[in-house]
Amino acid sequence: MLHFDDLNLFVRTADAGSLSAAARELDVSPAVASAALKRIEAALEARLFARSTRSLRLTPEGEAFLAHARAATASLLEGHRLLAGGKATIGGVLQLSAPSDFGRNVLMPWLDEFQAQHPQLQVRLLLGDRVSDLFRQPVDIALRYGTPEDSSLVALPLAEWNRRVLCAAPAYLARFGAPQRVEQLGEHNCLLYMLGGRPHDQWRFYEGRREVRVKVGGDRTSDDADAVRRWAVDAKGLAYKSWLDVAGDVRAGRLKVLFADRLGEPTPLNLICAHRAQLSKPVHLLREFVQAHCAELRRDAPWMTQAGAAQR
């Protein structure tokens, strides 16, 4: 059987015209190199080099075999490089920005797992809900809900399927009851999120192609999405939140989804950067990682479970 190291030494010897030169290049002793050539010749039952005390030249059999040996070693080396490239350690600093709620309560545990897989990678995470942060802060990429208004930005989807859901803590529902119709939201304390100085007080729901829009109000408003989520968990009112932000709370029983048979507003999550040159290998790996974790949360989304129940 022919071995790769023996074939490689044969090719190097033919190229260098010297067994000792090939041995030095491969960092092996002349005795080891000589033994390798003898193994190849024994396996092929052919003499590959004509040797003398002063020279070394290929025999006709050696010349005929050299092209095949060169092609074989080149192919094996390329395969090794491809595998090594797929497993290569990624390092350096990855600077990213994320929404306050998603970043603090969802993304941070995912990043812990991601860095455990890539211990040479350093992460600088900046949390904030203002879109302008992408331009003011020194970041490579940003994770943002919605499609960016600036068409010059590169936006890659992470969770296009994501939507808002209406939710509340069991303690709030036990005290005030659950609304039976969307129109009854005006009778409840609704926790408002403010972006760009304006509260999001027009909540939309969809039943088929029919859209129902209701104006809501309440005694708490914040420009920090995590504050709204915390108020909801503390039974202060109803919240209209991205499913990605509250999936963990729903799973743990801290929040309950209302109107599960209606679709909430689309809230796609995207990875955004200024230009494609910023899409480095760590960024691509992180995108795949986040997409996979988002897909796991999708399975428990209320509109998915409702669809599954309807099919059954």
Side-chain angles (χ1 to χ4, degrees), residues 242-268:
S242 155
W243 169 249
L244 290 176
D245 291 349
V246 298
D249 294 314
V250 173
R251 283 177 170 178
R254 292 184 292 269
L255 292 175
K256 181 178 179 181
V257 173
L258 308 175
F259 301 145
D261 57 336
R262 293 175 180 258
L263 292 176
E265 298 175 10
T267 315

Side-chain angles (χ1 to χ4, degrees), residues 7-307:
L7 283 174
N8 192 35
L9 186 132
F10 165 67
V11 171
R12 299 290 185 91
T13 301
D15 290 342
S18 167
L19 180 61
S20 59
R24 286 193 300 272
E25 187 176 343
L26 296 173
D27 196 26
V28 298
S29 69
V32 170
S34 179
L37 288 182
K38 288 179 180 179
R39 282 194 296 270
I40 294 178
E41 290 177 333
L44 295 174
E45 298 181 347
R47 191 171 179 82
L48 301 178
F49 288 102
R51 303 174 181 86
S52 70
T53 55
R54 295 187 179 181
S55 66
L56 183 76
R57 61 180 177 80
L58 286 166
T59 63
E61 292 84 355
E63 289 179 347
F65 182 68
L66 178 60
H68 298 286
R70 198 186 300 280
T73 54
S75 178
L76 288 170
L77 286 170
E78 179 59 21
H80 182 268
R81 278 193 292 268
L82 286 173
L83 289 177
K87 299 176 182 177
T89 300
I90 62 172
V93 179
L94 178 60
Q95 302 178 111
L96 67 153
S97 172
S100 62
D101 194 353
F102 177 80
R104 184 173 292 113
N105 301 302
V106 183
L107 182 63
M108 283 180 63
W110 292 355
L111 288 177
D112 290 340
E113 183 181 345
F114 186 69
Q115 285 189 272
Q117 296 179 9
H118 307 285
Q120 302 302 315
L121 183 68
Q122 300 177 42
V123 170
R124 293 178 183 169
L125 176 63
L126 302 178
L127 300 178
D129 293 313
R130 291 183 294 275
V131 177
S132 58
D133 290 345
L134 176 60
F135 306 97
R136 293 203 306 262
Q137 297 174 338
V139 297
D140 301 313
I141 59 171
L143 275 56
R144 286 287 180 267
Y145 286 122
T147 303
E149 296 181 0
D150 188 343
S151 60
S152 67
L153 294 173
V154 178
L156 302 179
L158 294 171
E160 292 180 292
W161 50 266
N162 187 48
R163 290 179 175 271
R164 291 183 182 274
V165 294
L166 182 69
C167 55
Y172 177 89
L173 298 176
R175 182 178 179 185
F176 298 102
Q180 301 302 308
R181 303 190 314 276
V182 172
E183 292 76 12
Q184 292 179 328
L185 291 181
E187 303 170 12
H188 285 263
N189 191 46
C190 294
L191 308 169
L192 301 184
Y193 170 61
M194 185 168 59
L195 184 63
R198 301 178 58 183
H200 181 223
D201 58 0
Q202 297 280 340
W203 292 0
R204 294 177 296 162
F205 299 87
Y206 302 88
E207 188 174 11
R209 295 184 178 180
R210 178 171 172 261
E211 177 188 290
V212 178
R213 188 188 299 256
V214 57
K215 185 176 177 60
V216 298
D219 64 358
R220 285 173 169 81
T221 302
S222 177
D223 65 349
D224 188 311
D226 190 33
V228 176
R229 186 194 67 84
R230 289 171 183 264
W231 283 333
V233 170
D234 289 342
K236 303 303 182 184
L238 304 180
Y240 194 40
K241 294 280 297 173
S242 155
W243 169 249
L244 290 176
D245 291 349
V246 298
D249 294 314
V250 173
R251 283 177 170 178
R254 292 184 292 269
L255 292 175
K256 181 178 179 181
V257 173
L258 308 175
F259 301 145
D261 57 336
R262 293 175 180 258
L263 292 176
E265 298 175 10
T267 315
L269 180 67
N270 293 297
L271 183 153
I272 301 172
C273 61
H275 46 77
R276 291 191 173 272
Q278 293 171 297
L279 299 177
S280 61
K281 183 171 183 177
V283 170
H284 281 295
L285 290 176
L286 179 63
R287 182 195 176 201
E288 294 173 359
F289 185 85
V290 171
Q291 276 184 315
H293 279 65
C294 286
E296 293 178 5
L297 296 181
R298 182 185 185 183
R299 290 196 292 265
D300 293 334
W303 60 93
M304 297 297 297
T305 55
Q306 285 288 320

